[in-house]
Amino acid sequence: MKPHIVVLASGSGSNFQAILNAIDSGSLDASVSHLIASKPGIGAIQIASGARIPVSIMSARLCGSPAEFEKQLLQLLKDQNPALIVLAGWLLKIPSGVIQHFEGKIINIHPSLLPDYGGQGFYGIRVHQAVISDRRRISGCTVHLVTEEFDEGPVIARKQVPVYPEDSPETLATRVLEQEHQLLPATIQKLLHP
């Protein structure tokens, strides 16, 4: 029986797709039992539908309150009982009760070399704009454990990417994302099969 993971996503789902591709290729010995999306109509939901993976859509707004969101998310995850919970482009704060219940079992991928360019407000293209405006020569991506502070959990794995003088935030984002697609599935494999 393969260990199963639950993926949380808020956007196009490219890291979610990278996980599924790694499973299909045999480089990741796992299965995805559920996708939790933070809003309807996102690419990750289409990917899950195509792969026949059940989807739940939830956020504090959709559930009516932060407390109800925490209750529903915690119950769903308890029911799933995954070996690992993977945030793959998830932009909402994970409620404290969920983090406490699944301590050490929730990971996130972030598009910078944490602790640099992490925390509230640092997501997506904003991270790459900041890296370029600070004239950094190296950027990259980080997989870390999720704790109650945004992007401050212990680092599990990193991958570096050069920043070229001619880079725009978009070209840097593309290069970092390519590395995310390799790093996230490889890290999940190492965590599930140490």
Side-chain angles (χ1 to χ4, degrees), residues 37-104:
S38 63
K39 56 190 173 187
I42 60 172
I45 295 172
Q46 293 177 314
I47 292 167
S49 298
R52 294 192 173 95
I53 294 168
V55 177
S56 296
I57 304 169
M58 55 177 63
S59 67
R61 189 175 57 78
L62 293 171
C63 294
S65 72
E68 189 58 28
F69 171 52
E70 179 168 346
K71 181 180 162 192
Q72 290 185 30
L73 180 60
L74 182 56
Q75 190 58 57
L76 174 60
L77 290 169
K78 281 180 176 177
D79 291 345
Q80 290 291 313
N81 192 28
L84 203 59
I85 299 162
V86 179
L87 311 189
W90 176 262
L91 297 179
L92 305 181
K93 190 153 179 24
I94 299 294
S96 298
V98 174
I99 292 171
Q100 288 162 12
H101 187 84
F102 291 98
E103 188 175 357

Side-chain angles (χ1 to χ4, degrees), residues 85-157:
I85 299 162
V86 179
L87 311 189
W90 176 262
L91 297 179
L92 305 181
K93 190 153 179 24
I94 299 294
S96 298
V98 174
I99 292 171
Q100 288 162 12
H101 187 84
F102 291 98
E103 188 175 357
K105 289 178 73 175
I106 309 173
I107 65 169
N108 179 49
I109 183 129
H110 185 77
S112 75
L113 296 174
L114 292 175
D116 294 343
Y117 308 104
Q120 195 152 12
F122 274 115
Y123 60 87
I125 204 74
R126 294 176 180 193
V127 173
H128 308 297
Q129 287 167 337
V131 168
I132 287 172
S133 66
D134 287 349
R135 295 192 165 97
R136 291 293 182 97
R137 292 186 176 176
I138 300 286
S139 189
C141 50
T142 305
V143 177
H144 67 94
L145 279 177
V146 173
T147 60
E148 298 200 32
E149 301 301 322
F150 267 119
D151 301 328
E152 289 187 15
V155 169
I156 301 167

Side-chain angles (χ1 to χ4, degrees), residues 13 16-17 22 28-29 33 36 54-55 66 106 114 117 120 141 153 176:
F16 176 41
Q17 183 67 64
L28 174 53
D29 183 26
S33 63
I36 300 171
V55 177
I106 309 173
L114 292 175
Y117 308 104
Q120 195 152 12
C141 50
V176 170

